[in-house]
Amino acid sequence: MIFKSVGEGRPYPEHGRVTARDWASVPPRQVRLEDLTTTKGTLDLAALLAEDSTFYGDLFPHVVRYRGEMYLEDGLHRAVRTALHHRSIMPARVLDLDAKDGGGAI
């Protein structure tokens, strides 16, 4: 199994970060694919195969930590690419909703 589980939708409250610029203040860190639950049940194959998939977006996937669980909000294609290269760890921006301030990076 690549991910901890495959979900459909976001089980956490709205956090207000929408654009790559909104996420830019969250520093990337290493995450294990096996610790992630996806928020999308399907993968856009065109995004997976595109050579310039990060041209207009963030270089790092977006992960939200909520109630001790880590959810892959954006960047499923990058995570699958990581797994296809036989790697189990990837850099991602992790927004910690469990933090006391309700939205800090970890």
Side-chain angles (χ1 to χ4, degrees):
M1 189 74 156
I2 297 172
F3 302 109
K4 182 175 183 177
S5 65
V6 176
E8 191 64 46
R10 300 173 183 174
Y12 45 85
E14 181 60 43
H15 51 68
R17 294 181 193 247
V18 179
T19 66
R21 180 174 282 190
D22 296 337
W23 279 89
S25 65
V26 180
R29 70 176 189 95
Q30 299 293 320
V31 296
R32 299 188 66 77
L33 296 180
E34 67 187 20
D35 293 337
L36 300 175
T37 296
T38 69
T39 60
K40 298 176 185 171
T42 58
L43 173 67
D44 178 4
L45 191 56
L48 177 67
L49 299 175
E51 290 183 23
D52 63 348
S53 66
T54 59
F55 185 75
Y56 293 106
D58 195 347
L59 178 63
F60 301 102
H62 301 159
V63 173
V64 175
R65 184 169 190 268
Y66 179 64
R67 295 186 176 169
E69 297 293 325
M70 305 232 329
Y71 298 95
L72 180 61
E73 178 175 289
D74 183 53
L76 179 58
H77 60 290
R78 292 182 198 98
V80 171
R81 277 187 187 172
T82 298
L84 289 172
H85 284 98
H86 304 287
R87 296 190 312 253
S88 60
I89 298 173
M90 71 175 182
R93 297 185 190 278
V94 181
L95 181 67
D96 188 1
L97 297 183
D98 291 343
K100 289 183 181 181
D101 63 13
I106 62 171

